[in-house]
Amino acid sequence: MTTTSPRALRSSALLTFAAVLLSTTGPVRAQVQPPTNTRPMAAPITQTIPDPEDKPFPGTIQLAIDASDTTTGAYRVTETIPVPAGQSKLTLLFPRWLPGNHGPEGPIAELVDVRFFAGGQPLSWTRDPVDVNAFHVDLPAGTSELTAKFIHTSPLRESEGRITVTREMLNLQWEKMSLYPAGYYVRQIKVRPTVTFPAGWQVFTALDGKAVNSANVVSWAVTDYETLVDSPIFAGVYADRHDLGQGVFLDIVADKPEQLKIAPENLATYRNLVDEALLTYGAKHFDHYDLLLALTDRMGGIGLEHHRSSENQYEPRTLVDWTAGDWDRNVIAHEFSHSWDGKFRRPAKLWTPDYRVPMQDNLLWVYEGQNQFWGLVLAARSGVQSKDMVLGQFANYAGLFTQYPGREWRSVEDTTHDPIIANRKPKPFSSLSRNEEYYTEGALIWLEAEAIIRDGTGGKKGMDDFAKAFFGMKDGDWGVLTYDLPDVVQTLNAVYPYDWASFIKTRIQTPGQPAPLGGIERGGYKLAWKEEPNPYDKARMAAAKYISLNHSIGLAIENDGKVTGSRWDSPGFRAGIVTGMQIISVNSKTYDQETIKAAITAAKGTNAPIELIVKRDDVVRTVQVQYHDGLRWPWLERAAPGTAPTGIDKLLAPRALAGKKPAKK
């Protein structure tokens, strides 16, 4: 006998009523505006800015920046720009699409008090209503020279942006405090730069022709605007410079003088890095190179590549406390490697003739993903980072992708558009939305390519052979050689014939793939889970004062109990815990890291929930987290016992350093 519930009877009655209503009222009609209503038509967008042409800009721009105000952090700029003959209007652009940022991140809002003059008289100007980084300046007849005066207001707090000026140091990036004329390739615009610094500061940059005009005024030889933008400055009162050989220098500024004291055996690892990189790539694409390094927690963090230099930041005592700072030192290896991968060889649609033409990022899994791979490999080979720390980083990447719902709908290639889509801002549920995983998943995929080549050639070849073939051509050339996807596939096949097109389509362009563990497993290791964090996770959590429980209850929690991450559909998420909440207590005890770890351990193998008291805004409530598998952090372990080196062991072993003593750890 079948019975019908009261709810089902109510639903049936409602459906019957709806049917009767439809039969009596006729078809449902969409609401349509009466023909008498006013209806607008789209106004056409008129192109008012000339496209860039590969022709010389007549004359040389004089760019003078006063960077001496460490109180306000304001850079005061005077820019004198020649005016081509016969022009009644000049359009000047503020860089928008910034190299290395992979997106339209030019901080136009920080450019203020903008004024233009000719012959000492103020000029009228308008901002372009479509491209707001463009200024249209009206010129009196016969104007031969225009002077622009403005201020770049460097952020003073992290909430305003990256801090670039402190009492002890500054990071001057030319593109954030200069304008350039529209209609020209930036390599065709000549500039003579001059900067006024705080008295007594040392100044580091890759620019040529340095001249000190007074105690604190420095100028450089005429250069083109593209090279200028690619040659930032680090300057500071506490500073040191080390010659690493091969035309490479380590230029350091610090918050305090004692932070500069790197031990000789540790400095040697940076010399090793230079040797290892040159051996790996087989060519040099710079005449000289400056590794710009800031040891600071006052100026904003950075890791940014340039052709003949790079901008890098370490925590203040990373060079002094060598072992404790091991986790923090990969950025220099990564950015140095970019001189080959990203600057010399660059995706054709990522290279642009000026900083207004949009970049297309879909090959960042080579530009950044393979470079992430090489940054880790070169750090291990040189001793800049220990092998255990590098294995911990690979483990961190691999573990993440075993529980990452965003991989089901979004491919690695699609994450290359994230710098444009998300503008690198935090996301509520990054495990579902995905971040810029073309770096980390890209590195694991290139690790698998290394294993495929090594296995297929009986160990005779690997990714080193690809690096030499793809990035090592044209020794001494520090221009830009572009490529597209077929070039990558062709070079891979020349190193080792394989169905690389299908490999890339599956691993890079197709979502819903298994966790990218192929390179680890073919390299003689396996992903393992332990109740203690690997060296990399342990060190970075300690430095950032938080704990990642992503692989257990699915939360990241600061030391004060504030939740900064909640993995989508994790046990914590299902209990209703989201970013911004604060955990007050764990099983009736005040929250701290040890208490929550003990609670997770105690719940392992039981049916008992973990009881948390959480606060969100002004509401305090109790939640129960159902999780019973204990603490879990990812590690890489050798898949089989023995002492013979595996593929990954061989990959991370020094190449240029045979017979040299390793650096002290």
Side-chain angles (χ1 to χ4, degrees):
M1 180 177 175
T2 301
T3 60
T4 304
S5 69
R7 178 177 292 179
L9 289 170
R10 287 196 299 272
S11 298
S12 177
L14 286 171
L15 288 171
T16 302
F17 174 76
V20 171
L21 183 64
L22 287 172
S23 67
T24 57
T25 59
V28 177
R29 299 178 183 273
Q31 183 170 320
V32 179
Q33 292 186 19
T36 55
N37 279 3
T38 303
R39 303 172 69 186
M41 299 297 289
I45 295 176
T46 304
Q47 172 67 276
T48 59
I49 303 170
D51 290 329
E53 297 182 45
D54 193 9
K55 62 183 182 181
F57 176 73
T60 299
I61 295 173
Q62 306 292 326
L63 177 61
I65 299 174
D66 185 344
S68 62
D69 186 351
T70 61
T71 300
T72 68
Y75 297 85
R76 293 168 173 83
V77 183
T78 300
E79 189 170 359
T80 305
I81 304 168
V83 174
Q87 288 197 199
S88 60
K89 187 184 291 288
L90 187 65
T91 297
L92 298 173
L93 304 176
F94 181 77
R96 184 168 184 244
W97 290 82
L98 305 184
N101 291 257
H102 313 314
E105 295 192 2
I108 185 65
E110 294 170 11
L111 200 75
V112 301
D113 199 18
V114 180
R115 304 169 191 267
F116 299 101
F117 304 87
Q121 299 301 310
L123 303 178
S124 61
W125 61 273
T126 57
R127 190 187 301 268
D128 192 273
V130 176
D131 188 340
V132 295
N133 283 36
F135 298 85
H136 302 294
V137 186
D138 296 322
L139 303 173
T143 300
S144 61
E145 188 176 84
L146 176 150
T147 299
K149 293 187 177 183
F150 47 85
I151 297 172
H152 167 71
T153 49
S154 173
L156 298 172
R157 301 173 296 173
E158 289 184 0
S159 61
E160 298 168 341
R162 178 175 172 261
I163 297 169
T164 64
V165 181
T166 73
R167 299 185 304 273
E168 299 84 16
M169 66 180 69
L170 63 80
N171 175 198
L172 188 154
Q173 297 171 312
W174 304 97
E175 71 275 9
K176 293 181 173 61
M177 52 200 73
S178 60
L179 302 173
Y180 68 96
Y184 301 85
Y185 278 31
V186 289
R187 67 188 180 200
Q188 295 276 25
I189 301 170
K190 299 298 182 184
V191 184
R192 182 186 298 276
T194 299
V195 181
T196 302
F197 295 96
W201 283 27
Q202 292 191 56
V203 179
F204 304 119
T205 178
L207 288 174
D208 295 316
K210 178 180 178 181
V212 180
N213 304 325
S214 68
N216 59 334
V217 179
V218 182
S219 63
W220 291 268
V222 172
T223 188
D224 60 84
Y225 191 63
E226 181 179 40
T227 300
L228 183 74
V229 166
D230 201 40
S231 307
I233 291 173
F234 274 23
V237 63
Y238 307 120
D240 207 351
R241 191 176 208 220
H242 302 281
D243 186 344
L244 303 180
Q246 309 274 8
V248 181
F249 298 87
L250 178 61
D251 307 327
I252 312 174
V253 294
D255 288 339
K256 299 177 182 179
E258 59 267 25
Q259 295 160 358
L260 297 167
K261 296 177 180 178
I262 181 172
E265 64 270 20
N266 297 329
L267 179 61
T269 66
Y270 291 94
R271 296 191 176 99
N272 298 342
L273 175 63
V274 174
D275 294 340
E276 290 288 355
L278 289 171
L279 181 63
T280 294
Y281 289 113
K284 186 158 68 168
H285 298 304
F286 49 81
D287 52 348
H288 54 80
Y289 191 100
D290 287 78
L291 293 162
L292 305 173
L293 174 62
L295 302 172
T296 182
D297 57 8
R298 298 172 185 169
M299 192 168 76
I302 193 169
L304 189 59
E305 68 272 15
H306 303 282
H307 211 130
R308 301 191 299 160
S309 65
S310 58
E311 298 167 271
N312 308 275
Q313 178 266 334
Y314 286 171
E315 292 302 301
R317 294 187 60 82
T318 295
L319 297 182
V320 177
D321 299 334
W322 188 256
T323 300
D326 194 355
W327 71 277
D328 191 34
R329 288 196 295 270
N330 186 257
V331 63
I332 279 184
H334 177 99
E335 304 303 346
F336 184 44
S337 177
H338 265 313
S339 182
W340 293 267
D341 181 0
K343 300 307 290 185
F344 173 63
R345 294 304 310 266
R346 199 176 313 175
K349 295 176 182 177
L350 252 177
W351 180 87
T352 56
D354 73 352
Y355 308 123
R356 177 173 176 263
V357 174
M359 298 173 181
Q360 298 178 53
D361 289 353
N362 58 303
L363 282 176
L364 280 178
W365 55 271
V366 183
Y367 180 125
E368 292 289 6
Q370 189 172 147
N371 198 73
Q372 187 83 359
F373 166 85
W374 283 121
L376 291 167
V377 170
L378 293 174
R381 289 180 181 178
S382 64
V384 166
Q385 286 186 290
S386 68
K387 177 183 175 182
D388 285 345
M389 190 62 64
V390 168
L391 289 174
Q393 287 174 265
F394 275 124
N396 173 276
Y397 304 164
L400 176 69
F401 297 126
T402 63
Q403 300 181 92
Y404 209 62
R407 296 182 72 250
E408 293 301 314
W409 72 274
R410 194 174 185 194
S411 69
V412 176
E413 183 179 68
D414 193 61
T415 72
T416 65
H417 304 298
D418 221 54
I420 302 168
I421 295 168
N423 202 28
R424 293 183 160 169
K425 70 179 182 68
K427 301 174 182 178
F429 296 102
S430 60
S431 60
L432 183 61
S433 61
R434 299 205 72 170
N435 287 311
E436 297 177 37
E437 277 97 35
Y438 54 87
Y439 282 91
T440 51
E441 188 164 351
L444 292 172
I445 290 165
W446 286 111
L447 181 64
E448 184 176 6
E450 151 75 19
I452 290 170
I453 297 170
R454 183 180 296 275
D455 288 351
T457 61
K460 294 178 181 179
K461 291 184 178 181
M463 281 300 296
D464 286 78
D465 298 275
F466 177 88
K468 286 183 176 66
F470 197 74
F471 303 111
M473 61 182 69
K474 294 180 176 286
D475 185 30
D477 184 343
W478 45 283
V480 179
L481 181 61
T482 62
Y483 63 87
D484 218 325
L485 180 57
D487 301 311
V488 179
V489 174
Q490 181 180 357
T491 306
L492 284 167
N493 275 313
V495 173
Y496 171 63
Y498 186 76
D499 189 359
W500 292 108
S502 294
F503 175 84
I504 290 167
K505 181 175 179 59
T506 302
R507 304 295 193 280
I508 299 293
Q509 298 173 330
T510 307
Q513 299 302 303
L517 306 181
I520 293 169
E521 293 168 352
R522 295 181 72 152
Y525 277 72
K526 64 180 180 180
L527 180 64
W529 298 94
K530 298 185 180 182
E531 294 186 347
E532 292 293 328
N534 67 60
Y536 175 68
D537 282 334
K538 182 177 181 180
R540 73 189 184 100
M541 288 190 298
K545 298 180 174 59
Y546 84 110
I547 186 169
S548 173
L549 300 169
N550 181 65
H551 299 293
S552 53
I553 60 175
L555 303 176
I557 311 167
E558 292 182 347
N559 284 357
D560 63 358
K562 184 179 180 181
V563 177
T564 57
S566 176
R567 175 166 54 85
W568 188 268
D569 204 31
S570 66
F573 174 94
R574 290 194 294 271
I577 303 173
V578 296
T579 302
M581 284 184 171
Q582 185 164 18
I583 300 175
I584 298 171
S585 75
V586 183
N587 291 345
S588 301
K589 294 183 179 180
T590 302
Y591 173 84
D592 61 30
Q593 283 194 17
E594 294 306 313
T595 301
I596 197 159
K597 287 196 295 183
I600 292 171
T601 300
K604 183 177 181 180
T606 74
N607 294 321
I610 302 166
E611 188 173 274
L612 306 177
I613 296 178
V614 298
K615 180 177 181 293
R616 186 178 190 183
D617 301 323
D618 59 350
V619 176
V620 176
R621 63 191 181 92
T622 300
V623 299
Q624 293 188 336
V625 179
Q626 296 289 347
Y627 174 73
H628 309 288
D629 291 329
L631 294 167
R632 298 173 81 245
W633 278 282
W635 288 69
L636 292 195
E637 291 184 339
R638 290 176 63 118
T643 58
T646 69
I648 288 179
D649 295 331
K650 293 175 182 178
L651 174 68
L652 300 182
R655 296 292 201 274
L657 311 177
K660 291 187 178 182
K661 293 182 179 179
K664 292 181 180 178
K665 295 294 183 284

